[in-house]
Amino acid sequence: MSIRYPFTAVVGMDDLRLALLLNAISPNVGGVLVRGEKGTAKSTAVRALAELLPEVAVVAGCRFSCDPASPDPGCPDGPHGDGGSEARAARMVELPVGASEDRLVGALDIERALAEGVKAFEPGLLAAAHRGILYVDEVNLLSDHLIDHLLDAAAMGASHVEREGVSVRHAARFLLVGTMNPEEGELRPQLLDRFGLTVEVAASRDPQQRVEVVRRRLAFEDDPAAFAARWAGEEAALRERIVTARELLPRVVLGDTVLLQIAATCAAFEVDGMRADIVMARTATALAAWAGREEVTGEDVRQAALLALPHRRRRNPFDAPGLDEDKLDETLEQFKGDEPEDDPDPGPDGPEGPGGGGGGVPPQGGEGPAPEAGGVPEEAPAGAPAPQGAGERAAVKAAEPFRTRMLSVPGVGEGAAGRRSRARTEHGRTTGATRPQGALTKLHLAATVRAAAPHQRARGRSGAGLVVRRDDLRQAVREGREGNLVLFVVDASGSMAARKRMGAVKGAVLSLLLDAYQRRDKVGLVTFRGRGAELALPPTSSVDAAAARLEELPTGGRTPLSAGLLKAHDVLRVERLRDPSRRPLLVVVTDGRATGGGPDPVGLAARAARLHAADGTASVVVDCEAGPVRLGLAGNLARDLGGTAVTLDELRADTIAGLVRDVQVNRSDRRAA
């Protein structure tokens, strides 16, 4: 067994370590979501936590880790008599991003069930994680159907597997810990709410602390056993403190004043539902037990709010995370009542020990207000397109976003699960049947019976039974939805800004970004103005990053439409090589004018557009032209792209399926014209 990095040797990361320890003390807190940039020891800290958890007693031979004191009466390995018990270490089970549904919930041997009448079930990761830790690295990249199973198991404490009339249920209560990099995309609100606590982590900007991180890591890699032995004393002391806090936890008193503070705080930050109140109460109780107290204080409530509310109060995926601490303090002060003063330092200090200072954890080194982005001058003199920034105007604030019509890619794809375009997926409505390629996962019962029926006489069938062989089995073909790569090509030239339309244009793009967030798309942003185009944001799953770049986008200069389309063509060419199954949707936001990019800007733009049409790229042109006299240039561009033009007003309409027509039909229309 490999040696894991000691928990007490992790440098800094006080909030992260405290949140993990609170869950170790009280698993009912509900788990931890760790958000942060790559390379910040998120996974290291989580894996180290498993070594600190006390051993668990299980029924001997039970694959589902039943507790001998109260075995699950519905356990598939039961009923459990007096079969004895055994102690083992608490498990930490890792759920890979690319795991299949069968690997997560368990697999039924359908062939044996049909051919032999044997109901055979192989437990999955949910069963293995029962009474332990279920760790999901890059949880924001999980497929929707896996997230749905996690939600169900986390809510009910059990996993149900239903397959063609065979039903299995087993207990699945686990500490859910997820890590994610927000730059790679956000989580669905339903899953966010299932995590009890959330922590934002970032690498320290303190040189001394960074030196210590490197020194310890190198020492661990040189001799893991010696490094672990050096920290064994601190690990044992911390493990003992967890056991002590667990024993104290049932005696901790949660007073009426504290409960009022919790309710008032949740109401002040307008969180949905009552889960936040319950999680805050459990977290505050665990904080008191961790500090060795039998009564919850206002400081415990404050620390609990900082850990339990940030991911629940966000209404918009583009809002900044975190809580307004001044507002939090005002609310707690208003409802504190006659609470007695507490020891300002109830938590013992250990080597790098979290939790000191009454639950208040010092900030990471180097954290603070982010520098203002942009660096765009308030007004630059208009002039000829000499340098790239000539004629540049200050960034315009985006108008309020709105609900947009659904833009989709024609045909049926096979890309990553999402909510935009039609695709062949593991979930969805059944549209047909086929011979299985590899292991059979979704049986099409009717098709299997039809395939076996003509051969029953030759197989010597007797009685009412049906003789089914391997060649008769048919796999169900299902159709659902996929996420796409939505590449925005935004005109930021002077022709857009002169008519004071950039605010409306940014509002429209922001609305489309919100739609892309909800449909689990990747997004990219190309802008063009002045002398050329630039890739403002490479394709990413983080629509937050796209929204931030859009907000900073300045305007001005000529309109090199061809350069924007050619840049988009290069981006899509590279993305097709990286991820061939994810189909692109090109969204060009412009008034259709072309005044830069070469001696014949209009002709160059038309030729660049026809490159996209030749590749079969689905496209939509958002026509931003305004005024009583309109030239219809955006419509011409849409025809060259083989796509559809839609005005800003039409973009606000209710969802209409099939806005993007089949590329072949558009080509036929163009040839006929």
Side-chain angles (χ1 to χ4, degrees):
M1 180 178 178
S2 61
I3 299 174
R4 287 176 175 161
Y5 193 89
F7 190 87
T8 50
V10 175
V11 178
M13 318 297 280
D14 300 295
D15 285 348
L16 169 59
R17 290 185 294 149
L18 178 60
L20 292 172
L21 289 171
L22 292 176
N23 276 274
I25 295 167
S26 176
N28 288 334
V29 166
V32 187
L33 174 64
V34 188
R35 297 163 46 94
E37 58 197 30
K38 55 186 178 295
T40 50
K42 301 187 297 293
S43 300
T44 299
V46 175
R47 293 188 175 99
L49 176 68
E51 300 296 321
L52 296 175
L53 297 182
E55 290 186 337
V56 295
V58 299
V59 174
C62 178
R63 298 174 298 166
F64 300 87
S65 302
C66 281
D67 186 350
S70 56
D72 181 7
C75 177
D77 283 356
H80 296 299
D82 190 13
S85 65
E86 58 186 11
R88 62 162 174 77
R91 291 173 178 162
M92 191 193 74
V93 177
E94 297 192 38
L95 173 61
V97 170
S100 65
E101 179 184 348
D102 289 343
R103 184 73 184 100
L104 176 64
V105 303
L108 289 169
D109 192 334
I110 300 176
E111 295 182 18
R112 288 186 63 192
L114 286 174
E116 304 174 23
V118 176
K119 184 171 69 173
F121 179 72
E122 183 67 27
L125 297 178
L126 290 179
H130 179 48
R131 304 178 66 201
I133 300 174
L134 180 61
Y135 172 50
V136 189
D137 194 13
E138 306 293 354
V139 63
N140 51 324
L141 302 183
L142 273 184
S143 301
D144 272 359
H145 67 285
L146 295 183
I147 287 179
D148 290 337
H149 285 298
L150 278 180
L151 288 175
D152 291 341
M156 299 183 296
S159 175
H160 295 262
V161 184
E162 303 285 346
R163 298 286 175 85
E164 280 74 39
V166 181
S167 177
V168 175
R169 174 212 166 274
H170 63 83
R173 292 183 295 275
F174 45 80
L175 168 57
L176 180 61
V177 181
T179 59
M180 61 174 283
N181 183 349
E183 294 181 358
E184 297 174 339
E186 288 291 344
L187 276 174
R188 291 164 52 186
Q190 298 94 324
L191 186 57
L192 271 177
D193 192 46
R194 293 296 181 188
F195 285 98
L197 310 179
T198 186
V199 178
E200 298 278 340
V201 297
S204 173
R205 299 299 184 260
D206 179 5
Q208 294 300 324
Q209 198 171 61
R210 295 174 75 97
V211 166
E212 186 62 22
V213 170
V214 174
R215 182 181 291 118
R216 294 186 186 183
R217 188 69 206 185
L218 293 178
F220 174 74
E221 292 175 355
D222 288 342
D223 192 345
F227 186 85
R230 194 156 57 244
W231 289 89
E234 287 79 0
E235 291 282 287
L238 186 57
R239 189 178 295 109
E240 181 61 31
R241 187 177 172 188
I242 292 173
V243 172
T244 302
R246 280 188 171 187
E247 295 173 350
L248 178 61
L249 187 67
R251 304 198 300 271
V252 176
V253 177
L254 195 67
D256 291 341
T257 299
V258 170
L259 281 172
L260 183 59
Q261 285 183 310
I262 291 172
T265 301
C266 292
F269 286 99
E270 300 180 351
V271 297
D272 295 329
M274 295 298 297
R275 184 173 283 115
D277 303 63
I278 297 171
V279 170
M280 275 189 64
R282 289 171 175 166
T283 304
T285 304
L287 280 163
W290 173 247
R293 288 184 273 103
E294 294 188 5
E295 186 174 358
V296 176
T297 68
E299 185 59 32
D300 295 330
V301 175
R302 186 182 192 277
Q303 184 66 45
L306 293 174
L307 294 171
L309 296 187
H311 60 302
R312 291 185 166 90
R313 62 164 292 274
R314 295 177 66 185
R315 291 284 187 264
N316 187 307
F318 303 146
D319 289 344
L323 291 183
D324 183 342
E325 295 195 30
D326 291 336
K327 181 178 179 180
L328 174 60
D329 291 335
E330 290 174 5
T331 304
L332 294 176
E333 181 68 23
Q334 182 180 355
F335 292 92
K336 75 173 185 177
D338 298 325
E339 182 181 294
E341 292 294 326
D342 297 290
D343 181 359
D345 187 16
D349 294 325
E352 298 293 331
V361 181
Q364 298 278 338
E367 288 187 353
E372 293 186 3
V376 180
E378 283 296 313
E379 185 72 27
Q388 171 69 22
E392 186 178 282
R393 296 176 174 84
V396 180
K397 183 175 177 60
E400 286 297 316
F402 51 86
R403 183 185 177 194
T404 70
R405 297 168 67 168
M406 188 180 78
L407 310 179
S408 62
V409 178
V412 180
E414 295 180 343
R419 297 185 182 86
R420 185 171 297 279
S421 305
R422 294 171 55 202
R424 285 178 286 272
T425 62
E426 293 186 6
H427 293 264
R429 62 188 182 90
T430 301
T431 59
T434 185
R435 290 182 180 274
Q437 302 295 322
L440 178 67
T441 56
K442 297 287 185 180
L443 179 73
H444 194 299
L445 187 57
T448 299
V449 171
R450 285 196 299 268
H455 307 290
Q456 296 307 297
R457 180 175 296 178
R459 293 172 183 173
R461 188 192 72 171
S462 60
L466 183 69
V467 180
V468 178
R469 294 182 178 173
R470 183 184 298 272
D471 290 342
D472 302 324
L473 298 176
R474 293 296 181 269
Q475 176 88 22
V477 176
R478 298 175 183 265
E479 183 177 302
R481 293 282 175 178
E482 67 177 359
N484 298 117
L485 166 60
V486 183
L487 182 62
F488 294 94
V489 182
V490 180
D491 185 347
S493 65
S495 67
M496 302 285 283
R499 295 171 176 81
K500 299 181 180 179
R501 286 178 281 132
M502 203 59 199
V505 169
K506 284 188 175 183
V509 178
L510 187 63
S511 303
L512 291 168
L513 284 171
L514 278 166
D515 184 65
Y517 166 80
Q518 295 163 354
R519 300 186 189 281
R520 299 179 68 81
D521 297 315
K522 289 182 69 175
V523 296
L525 178 63
V526 172
T527 64
F528 59 94
R529 61 187 178 88
R531 285 187 170 180
E534 64 173 338
L535 180 59
L537 181 73
T540 174
S541 295
S542 175
V543 293
D544 285 9
R549 299 291 173 88
L550 180 70
E551 190 70 24
E552 301 163 5
L553 181 64
T555 59
R558 291 183 177 271
T559 312
L561 178 56
S562 60
L565 295 174
L566 290 174
K567 173 65 73 174
H569 187 265
D570 289 341
V571 171
L572 293 181
R573 178 180 56 81
V574 173
E575 288 302 311
R576 284 190 179 97
L577 295 175
R578 290 177 175 171
D579 190 357
S581 65
R582 189 180 288 268
R583 298 185 296 161
L585 173 62
L586 184 69
V587 179
V588 185
V589 185
T590 181
D591 57 7
R593 293 174 181 265
T595 60
D600 181 15
V602 176
L604 288 173
R607 287 196 289 274
R610 287 194 285 271
L611 287 176
H612 289 281
D615 289 339
T617 302
S619 58
V620 175
V621 178
V622 180
D623 185 358
C624 302
E625 193 174 24
V629 179
R630 304 193 181 189
L631 304 178
L633 299 176
N636 295 338
L637 176 62
R639 283 192 291 274
D640 289 329
L641 285 167
T644 302
V646 57
T647 66
L648 287 175
D649 290 337
E650 291 171 340
L651 198 61
R652 294 176 177 267
D654 291 336
T655 301
I656 297 176
L659 178 64
V660 182
R661 297 192 300 271
D662 188 275
V663 174
Q664 295 297 332
V665 173
N666 285 298
R667 288 178 183 168
S668 300
D669 292 344
R670 188 171 67 253
R671 286 195 296 266

